[in-house]
Amino acid sequence: MTGLGAVFRPQLPPERLRVLARLADDTGLEELWLWEDCFLEGGISTAAAALAWTERVRIGVGLLPVPLRNVAVTAMETATLHRMFPGRAIVGVGHGVQDWMGQVGARVESPVTLLREHLLALRALLRGERLTTEGRYVRLDDVGLDWPPLGPDTVPVLAGATGPRSLRLSGEAADGTVLTAGTPPEGVRRARQLIDEGRESAGRTDPHQVVVYLLTATGPDGPARLRAELAEMDLGAVPDLGVAGDAGAVAKAVQRLADAGADTVVLQPTADEADPEAFIRFAAQEVRPLVP
């Protein structure tokens, strides 16, 4: 079954999250995703609050920019979420937007190297290992979590990736991949190929979840709003990107991404969405029944 979620965009003030998280929970939406975009809202703080306010919906963080975070802190916070809310937190990490990283003095010479080192250390710490490593960016001396996640199952760590090197790395060193709303169905197919190349090089045969955002606009002005946002993202010329229309049109767009290799599709409202509550209801009550 294709998973379905929606994004709480951080252009909304954080005090709006409680109502929207509870609405996602009550309407049966499977996943609500949050962003740690600079300089809007923190990913872990909003995820913890959303998890505490709800009972069943899974909360995704896509993504935590690794240049901003020591890997031990990422591991501590991720483990804490999984112990308090077992099976409901989804944590993804990524390079971060390089201009933003430069603004805070955290830009590194090799983002791919940093992401690789962060992923390998993070997954080891979450497995309960005690780790000593001396990498180019990640350095740990006899570090282990006193409160690692409970249970025998490995806590999945997802990676955000766009370029070929990052996608291969995600297949090699992460448990899943998050693709941006700038990824059309053909882009998902290509991403799957590159991810599988990385998995093959690492000898991995475990499942690898692919999550992709789908820019979605509803209502009579939906097509115009979608075109405007794609133009703002410099993606207006990319074919088959985003969807505007009713639940049937959105469900067909979700299915195209699923057929291309997406396991979960997360509906991303436009930044000017006037009624985010209605958008959550639309995703859960109108689109979900139409998605196999």
Side-chain angles (χ1 to χ4, degrees):
M1 183 174 107
T2 304
L4 190 72
V7 178
F8 173 90
R9 291 188 63 146
Q11 285 82 8
L12 294 171
E15 57 268 25
R16 294 285 300 274
L17 177 58
R18 182 173 183 169
V19 168
L20 288 167
R22 287 185 166 177
L23 182 61
D25 207 42
D26 292 342
T27 56
L29 191 66
E30 291 136 71
E31 298 179 6
L32 182 68
W33 281 74
L34 312 172
W35 295 349
E36 187 167 87
D37 277 3
C38 297
F39 301 94
L40 295 167
E41 294 160 5
I44 295 296
S45 55
T46 51
L51 287 162
W53 288 326
T54 56
E55 298 293 334
R56 45 149 299 278
V57 65
R58 295 188 296 276
I59 302 296
V61 182
L63 303 160
L64 300 175
V66 297
L68 293 181
R69 295 176 170 273
N70 184 287
V71 69
V73 175
T74 308
M76 290 161 58
E77 292 183 325
T78 301
T80 299
L81 290 180
H82 278 276
R83 288 184 71 107
M84 291 193 299
F85 310 102
R88 292 181 54 215
I90 309 166
V91 175
V93 299
H95 301 306
V97 176
Q98 295 307 296
D99 287 345
W100 290 341
M101 299 303 100
Q103 282 183 268
V104 298
R107 190 166 187 164
V108 298
E109 185 177 354
S110 178
V112 173
T113 300
L114 170 57
L115 184 58
R116 177 188 300 278
E117 292 179 358
H118 197 103
L119 283 167
L120 293 175
L122 177 59
R123 293 177 65 241
L125 291 170
L126 292 173
R127 289 194 297 266
E129 297 178 18
R130 184 163 291 276
L131 191 61
T132 295
T133 183
E134 186 72 21
R136 181 174 178 181
Y137 299 109
V138 174
R139 300 177 179 90
L140 300 173
D141 181 9
D142 194 30
V143 174
L145 298 177
D146 286 348
W147 298 106
L150 293 168
D153 295 333
T154 301
V155 171
V157 175
L158 279 60
T162 52
R165 290 180 65 202
S166 295
L167 287 163
R168 291 190 185 97
L169 171 60
S170 185
E172 175 189 343
D175 303 299
T177 302
V178 180
L179 303 175
T180 73
T183 313
E186 187 53 42
V188 175
R189 290 188 184 90
R190 180 57 178 159
R192 269 288 187 188
Q193 293 173 354
L194 293 164
I195 290 164
D196 287 343
E197 289 175 13
R199 285 167 52 77
E200 184 177 0
S201 70
R204 297 189 64 172
T205 58
D206 51 326
H208 188 101
Q209 181 186 20
V210 171
V211 178
V212 60
Y213 294 119
L214 174 63
L215 189 61
T216 305
T218 63
D221 61 345
R225 288 191 294 113
L226 178 65
R227 287 193 300 271
E229 183 132 338
L230 289 173
E232 180 70 21
M233 299 164 64
D234 292 325
L235 295 172
V238 179
D240 204 18
L241 194 59
V243 60
D246 60 11
V250 175
K252 288 177 181 177
V254 170
Q255 190 60 53
R256 287 194 294 271
L257 292 169
D259 291 343
D263 299 297
T264 299
V265 178
V266 182
L267 305 186
Q268 175 180 320
T270 56
D272 61 356
E273 171 59 58
D275 193 343
E277 288 84 1
F279 189 88
I280 294 291
R281 292 191 187 93
F282 172 77
Q285 298 175 342
E286 298 184 45
V287 178
R288 173 74 271 179
L290 302 179
V291 176

